[in-house]
Amino acid sequence: MTSHLEKVLFDKFGYSAFRPGQKEIIQSVLNKEDVLAILPTGMGKSLCYQMPGYLLPYSVIIISPLLSLMQDQVDQLKKMGEKRVVAMNSFLTPPEKNALLQKLDTYKFIFLSPEMVMQEQVKAKLQTMPISLVVADEAHCISQWGFDFRPDYLRLSDWLSFKGRPPVLALTATATPKVINDITTQLNLKTPSIHIQSLDRPNIRYEALEVDSQEDKFELIAAQINQFSGPGIIYTQSRKKADEYALKLSTMGIRIASYHAGMEHVDRMFIQQQFLNGEVEWVCATNAFGMGVHKDDVRQIIHDHFPSSVANYAQEVGRAGRDGLDSLATLFFTRDDEDHSIFVATNDFPDESHVKVYKEFLQNGQHPGQLVEMGLLSETHVRILTYWLPRKSAEETINILHQLKRQKIEQIYLVKEILTNTSCIRQQIIEVFGQKLNERPDNCCSKCGLIKEEVVNQSKKHENQRIIQTWEKRISALFQRND
Amino acid sequence: MLFQQIILHIVDQMNEERSISAPFHLIRGKRSGQTIQDVKIYRLTNYFSLFPKLTKTAYDNHVQQMIQSKWLVIDEKGIPKLTSSGKVKLLNMPQLKLNGWLYRGNERIFFQRLSLVTQTLSHVHAKKLSFTPIQKDEKLQLWVRQFLQNFSYKSEEFINQYHQELLSVCQSDKLSKFHLIILSHRLTGYGVSGVTWQQLSHELQEDEIDLQILLQESLHILLDEISIRPTLSILSSMTEGIKSSTPLTDSAKKTSDLFEKGYTFEQISSIRQLKESTIEDHFVEMAMNGTLFSVELFFPNEDVASLLHDIKKFKTKKLRTLKELFPNHTYFQLRLLLAIGGDSN
C-alpha cells in the first residue's frame, strides 16, 4: 500500500515524496472516512483530493467558495493532462448548463460553487450519479467565527444530510476550536479523522520596519532589493503604485515588471511566464497576483502597506519559500498607513444611505443594475445588498453591514498590532489561526532578532538582458532553431 | 501619436457634418444605420471596428488632449473641426494599410488562433506537452484543438511546414521591421515568454495604443497576403470565417435575403417584427453596398439620376440641410440617394 501510493505520486504527479501530512490524509480518504484536514495555505492541499480521485472509482465533487480559486485548480488539473475536469459556475448559459448536466457523471473532477449545489436540477443529478468523494475547500468559510464567513456555504449543510452520502473531505488553514466545531457540525461529519499540520512556515522570516514617510519607504524598498536577491514580489495597494514602483525600479537596473487586474489577460500571463522563466526577478503587484502563480523559489515578499487581514497577509507571504528554503517577508509601514488601509478596505462598502436608495428602487420595480449605470451605487454595493436584502429586513441589513464593516476595521488593527507590538510576529500569526508555536527558528522575526544576511543571499548584478530581439530570432526560438 | 491622427483624419473626412461621438462609434465598429452610413459616405472603411472595446473615458481623454494641443476645436453643437496645426498634424500621418470593413474585429480571432497554435506547436516540438494555454477563451481552445486534429500535428513535417509558412508570410515586403517586432513579441512558446504592451511601449518608445494599431495593421496585411498565396495552406485554413462574406451586417443580411425572396418592405417589417425605421436602415445599407436592388422602387415616377445630379451640386452630406433643400422627399429617400451617390463621385 505504502509503496503503491508513492508510485502513484511519482507517476502521476512527478513528486518523489509527500509533504508532511499528505499521505495520512490520503489514506484516511481512501478508507472512506470523513476527514478534516488542516494544512497551511499553498502546501499541497489539492493533492489530498486529486490523488484519491485517481484511486477511487467515481467522480469527486469539489465545492469551492472562490471563482478564481476554482479556475486555478481546473487549470492545474488540465495542465497535468486531465481532461475529465469541469467547473460549473453561474457564468454558464442555461443551454450550456443543461448540456453539461447530461454528461456530468463522465467527469472525474467536478468543481461547484455552493449556490450551484443547491439548484434543484444540479441537486437531482448529484443524487442519481455515483460519487466517490465530496471536498469542501476553504471549509472555514462555513463558520461565522471564521474570518471569511460565506453564508452560502451553510446550504451545504442540508445537502450533506442525506443517508448514504459519500465521504466528505474538509480542507482549511484555520484551526481555532470554534471553527473546527462549526465545520464538523455544519458539514455533518461523522466521527471525522482530524489531521492537523503546523500552520507555521518556519523557513519564512518576518520583518516589520517603521519608516517616516512614503518617500523613505520607497528608498528603503529600493535599497533592500539592491542588497538582497529575489525572486520576489512587492505587494502594493493600487494599480497606479504598482506601475510607478516598477517603472522607477527598472530605471535603477532592476529586472522588474508590474502586474495588476487593469492589464489584459494575455499581458498578465506574459508576466507570469517571465517570472517563472527568471526573465524578471521581481514583480510589483496588487493582490491580484498570486493565484495561479506556481513558483517554488520565491525568496522575498515585500509589503508597502498593512494587508486587510491576517489571513491575507499569511497568504501573501506564504507565496515565498514553497521549496522549503529560507525566505524573507518584509513589511514597511509609516505611522498613518493603517488609515489608508482602512479606507481601501471600507470605502466601497455600503451603508445606511445605500440600503435606502436600493430599497426605494426595488419598490418602484426597477432593476438594481440601473443604480450602477446611474452612478448611484457601485457594483460592490449592489452585489452585497443583493445578497443581504432578500434575506433580512432593511434594519437587520444595516446592522449586519455595520458589524461587517467594524470587523474589517478590526482585522486591519489586528494586522497592525501583530506587526508593530513587541511580541513575536510568528507566534501571533499562528495564534490567530488557533495554534501555539512549539519551536522558534533562528532569525525568527525582527522582534525576536533577525540578521537578514543569514536568511537571504546578496543580490547579484545581472547583465542587462535585452527584452527586444529581431523577429527572426524570436520565431526561430519558438521552434528551437537557434542552435 | 498615431491614434490621435486617426481621430483627426476621421473628423476631417466628416467635414463638420457629424458630432464628436461619430468617430467614437466608428472606431468601436457600432452596427447602427448611422455609423454604417458614415463609413461609406465619408470613405472611412479602413478604421471601422479598430478598437471594439475602446472606452468612452479613454476616447474623451484623447479628444481633450487634442483640444489642449490645439489640433481640434469643438463648437457649441458638439461638432469638431481641425485647426490649422491639426491639419499639419494630419499631413504627417503615415498611410495605414488597414481594412476594418472587411475584417470587422475578426482579425483578433485570427491572432488568437495564431498565438495558441504557435504556442501548442512550439511545446509539441520541444516535447513538453504540459502548458497553460495563453488564450483562455474555451471556444477558441476548442477551435484550435479541432483544427490541429485535422493534421498529423505532432509530426516534425507538419511543425516544420507551419514554421516555414510563418517565416514566409512574415517576409512580405508590405510588413515593416517594426510590424514584425511587435507581432513576434506578442507570440509565446516553450521557453519563450511573451512581452507585454507596457514593456513594448517602454522599449520601443511608442504609445501602447499606437503599437496595438500597428499589430492590427500587420494582421490585415497578413490576412490579405495569406488569401492571395495558396501555398500557405496551413495558415489559410486558419483564416476560416475571418473575412466577412457579405458586406452587410447580420441583421441587414436577413432583410436582404427576405427581399430577394420577393417580400415587400412592409411584409419584411412585420415578419421580422422590426420597426420600419430599422428596415429603412437596412435598405440604406443595401443600397450603399450595391446589393442587387434598385432604389427606383422608392422613387415612383421620378428620375433618380437627375435627383442625384441636383444633390451633388450642394456638396453636403448633412441630412437636415438636404431636407430643407428637398422638402418634398422623405429622410429615407434622401438617405438612399446619399448612399448611392457616395460611391460615384
Side-chain angles (χ1 to χ4, degrees), chain A residues 20-36:
Chain A
Q22 282 178 333
K23 191 169 164 186
E24 294 72 20
I25 294 166
I26 290 167
Q27 268 163 345
S28 294
V29 170
L30 293 176
N31 290 340
K32 306 206 165 32
E33 297 163 42
D34 280 350
V35 180
L36 170 58

Side-chain angles (χ1 to χ4, degrees), chain A residues 73-92:
Chain A
Q73 310 268 354
V74 171
D75 291 347
Q76 284 306 300
L77 279 161
K78 282 192 176 162
K79 201 174 162 185
M80 282 168 45
E82 180 54 64
K83 291 190 172 65
R84 298 165 299 163
V85 48
V86 70
M88 233 180 145
N89 53 45
S90 44
F91 290 129
L92 294 175

Side-chain angles (χ1 to χ4, degrees), chain B residues 183-211:
Chain B
L183 186 72
S184 62
H185 286 79
R186 296 296 294 175
L187 293 174
T188 172
Y190 175 68
V192 182
S193 311
V195 177
T196 67
W197 289 117
Q198 202 176 40
Q199 290 171 322
L200 281 173
S201 158
H202 192 239
E203 294 286 321
L204 301 171
Q205 294 294 306
E206 296 282 349
D207 287 306
E208 285 182 34
I209 197 161
D210 289 0
L211 295 175

Side-chain angles (χ1 to χ4, degrees), chain B residues 56-68:
Chain B
K56 189 80 173 65
T57 326
Y59 176 75
D60 288 345
N61 282 341
H62 283 289
V63 170
Q64 280 312 313
Q65 278 177 29
M66 288 191 288
I67 292 171
Q68 272 160 24

Side-chain angles (χ1 to χ4, degrees), chain A residues 157-260:
Chain A
S157 204
D158 308 331
W159 178 52
L160 288 173
S161 58
F162 69 95
K163 247 197 162 131
R165 66 151 171 82
V168 174
L169 164 64
L171 293 163
T172 179
T174 306
T176 61
K178 275 179 172 170
V179 172
I180 291 185
N181 188 40
D182 269 6
I183 293 175
T184 316
T185 52
Q186 300 288 4
L187 291 176
N188 291 310
L189 300 187
K190 283 171 224 133
T191 55
S193 79
I194 301 182
H195 298 264
I196 303 182
Q197 283 297 309
S198 169
L199 296 174
D200 183 37
R201 301 275 311 275
N203 59 322
I204 298 174
R205 303 335 204 301
Y206 300 93
E207 184 182 36
L209 293 174
E210 180 168 355
V211 297
D212 288 336
S213 67
Q214 300 300 330
E215 292 74 35
D216 285 3
K217 198 189 268 176
F218 178 76
E219 293 304 316
L220 284 169
I221 290 173
Q224 168 137 337
I225 291 176
N226 271 314
Q227 190 180 355
F228 298 110
S229 159
I233 306 168
I234 307 172
Y235 279 110
T236 66
Q237 272 170 311
S238 70
R239 298 170 181 185
K240 199 172 146 229
K241 210 164 203 179
D243 284 337
E244 269 173 26
Y245 278 3
L247 187 62
K248 276 207 247 174
L249 290 164
S250 72
T251 56
M252 295 164 78
I254 290 162
R255 293 178 305 146
I256 186 168
S258 60
Y259 183 106
H260 51 70

Side-chain angles (χ1 to χ4, degrees), chain A residues 71 75-76 78-81 83 96 243 247 250-251 256-258 260 263-271 273-275 277 279-280 466-472 474-481, chain B residues 118-119 121-122 125-126 130-136 138-139 156 159-160 162-163 166-167 170-171 177 180-181 184-200 202-203 212:
Chain A
Q71 199 50 51
D75 291 347
Q76 284 306 300
K78 282 192 176 162
K79 201 174 162 185
M80 282 168 45
K83 291 190 172 65
E96 284 171 341
D243 284 337
L247 187 62
S250 72
T251 56
I256 186 168
S258 60
H260 51 70
M263 295 158 59
E264 63 178 84
H265 170 77
V266 168
D267 275 1
R268 280 184 279 162
M269 296 276 294
F270 285 169
I271 298 297
Q273 293 177 337
Q274 294 176 14
F275 193 50
N277 291 340
E279 291 155 7
V280 296
R466 294 281 307 150
I467 293 182
I468 305 289
Q469 298 169 309
T470 64
W471 71 269
E472 291 95 338
R474 280 218 35 121
I475 305 264
S476 299
L478 289 169
F479 298 96
Q480 295 176 315
R481 300 287 148 98
Chain B
T118 303
Q119 187 195 23
L121 294 180
S122 169
H125 179 73
S130 149
F131 63 93
T132 309
I134 191 70
Q135 301 294 341
K136 69 168 176 183
E138 290 191 12
K139 284 196 189 79
E156 270 307 302
I159 296 174
N160 203 21
Y162 179 76
H163 181 207
L166 203 55
L167 286 177
C170 285
Q171 271 146 5
K177 284 271 174 298
L180 288 165
I181 283 184
S184 62
H185 286 79
R186 296 296 294 175
L187 293 174
T188 172
Y190 175 68
V192 182
S193 311
V195 177
T196 67
W197 289 117
Q198 202 176 40
Q199 290 171 322
L200 281 173
H202 192 239
E203 294 286 321
Q212 286 161 0

